[in-house]
Every structure is written in C-alpha cells, then in structure tokens.
Amino acid sequence: INAEYMGCTTVEKQIMSQETYPVANVGGTDIPYDPDQLRRIQAHPCFSEKACHSFGRMHLAVAPKCNIQCKYCVRDFDCVNESRPGVTSQVLKPKEALERVDEVLEKYHYIKVVAVAGPGEPLANEETFETLRLVGEKYPNILLCISTNGLLLPDRIKELDALGVSNITVTMNAIDPEIGQQIYEYVTYQGKRYEGLEAATILRDHQLKGIEEALTLKKIVKVNTVLIPGINDKHVFDIARKIKSMGVYIHNVMPLIPHVLCVD
C-alpha cells in the first residue's frame, strides 16, 4: 500500500489496482482487504479513479459546530464569493437532510455515496449521527461516509461502525506537534480548551489512534492534508510515510486557500 505526496495540487492517487487484495498493517498485524471493502472503494468517487466517472456523492451540511480552530479556516455562511470547505448556505436538520437525499436520489440514480463533512466537525454534532441513522435505515445500499478532523474519532468510531459508515476521511496536517502548533489555534476536548504544543499533541495522538481503530474495523481510510507553504510543505512526506506504514488507503494533498492567520 502506498500513500505518497504528489505535488501542490489536489491529488488522489489510487494505491492498488482493482484486481488485487491489499493488506493494511495495523499495530504490526496484517489485515487483508476483503471483497466488500473493494466494492466500497470501487463505488466511491473520492477513493477510486474509475468510480469518479461513473458514480456520484452528496454531502449533507448538518454539522455546524467545530471543536478545533485551524488558522487557515473561517466558517462563514451565505457569501456568494465563497466556495470552499467549511462554508454552506444552509445547515439542515436531520429530517431535512433525509428529504434532500430523497429528492436527489429520485433524480440522480448514479449517486452511491452520502457523506457528512461539515460545515464544522461532524463528530462534534449529534445531528451527524441522527442523519446517518435516518439515511442508512432508508437506503441500506448507499455508502455512508464521514470526514473528520479526527479529534473525536477514537471516542466515536464504534458508533460510526454501528451506523454502517464504511469510508472515513481524516484531515491530518501534521504529525509533528511543533509543526501542528503553527497550524492550529486551539483544540477543545471534553469541555477544556488547549492551545499551542499541547493542543497539537492531543490532536495528533487522537488522529493516529482513531485511524488505527478505524482500520482495525475494516473502514476505508483516506487522509487529507492541507499543504501550507513554509509550514508543512516538506513535512507532508513524513505524514505520507507514517500513514502508509499504518495501512491508510489513499493520501490527498490539497493547496492552501489563504484565510485568517495563514493569509501571509
């Protein structure tokens, strides 16, 4: 399995051919992929180069609250000039989200994936779990997907597993807390706010633990990294090597959209 840094633009490199059965190494134990996992890869346009030409996905904006503050992120609403992660024109209630899924699936039969990715941190919002439950019960053949900063992933991975979530994306911008503290303003965990090196260390540790537990449960894991020139641009290689050793399926490197404290 490979996870490589491929440059300064968004790159999603398929790591294995669809005819092979890769193996994820989790804590020194080889966990082979099975046919069901390969099916979940082949039908997900974010995980398969071929799938992006055949299938579609939809994101449900049901999670407004966030538990970390990235220095490059601002979560504004209703700005006609914005089209980026963390921005949405409307936050839906779970039942409204299900109605939106009904409307989309009736019209677009090639949609195979329903995801919750924000606009805040999905795992910090109970509406995420209710939405996944509603969609999963009504559409058992739809792939359920989540994008997360990973802080709460170890705490909530079993709930995601019980709801049938199959694909998980973790945004990980550093595995070195010295670098991480330049990226994150603060982290809020269990009601306490952490800053600086402590915040970056807590986030990194939870991300790695959550990824390991997700892989053990045979989730298909993708890692997103925001490339920030002068901060983590060279460090991206270290992230790639680490997640490769863990068995992460794919690594997506995205260019920075300058905002707030990273504008320079």
Side-chain angles (χ1 to χ4, degrees), residues 22 25 42 47 50 73 92 102 117 131 143 148 160 179 183-184 186 199 205 210 213 226:
N25 187 279
Q42 293 164 4
F47 287 72
K50 293 182 179 180
C73 180
L92 302 173
D102 292 338
T131 299
L143 296 180
T148 174
L160 294 176
I179 296 174
I183 300 172
Y184 305 107
Y186 64 80
D205 291 347
E213 293 184 10
V226 178

Side-chain angles (χ1 to χ4, degrees), residues 151-220:
L151 180 63
L152 293 177
L153 189 54
D155 299 344
R156 312 213 69 167
I157 184 62
K158 290 184 179 178
E159 293 174 77
L160 294 176
D161 186 48
L163 289 168
V165 173
S166 60
N167 298 60
I168 297 175
T169 295
V170 180
T171 298
M172 175 182 283
N173 299 320
I175 56 171
D176 181 348
E178 294 284 351
I179 296 174
Q181 70 176 335
Q182 301 176 61
I183 300 172
Y184 305 107
E185 188 73 13
Y186 64 80
V187 163
T188 303
Y189 182 65
Q190 294 184 344
K192 184 176 179 180
R193 174 168 164 153
Y194 300 88
E195 298 180 1
L197 193 63
E198 187 177 21
T201 301
I202 290 171
L203 180 59
R204 187 275 313 272
D205 291 347
H206 284 222
Q207 288 172 332
L208 293 177
K209 182 180 179 183
I211 289 172
E212 183 175 62
E213 293 184 10
L215 290 168
T216 300
L217 291 171
K218 294 198 169 185
K219 305 305 172 187
I220 313 300

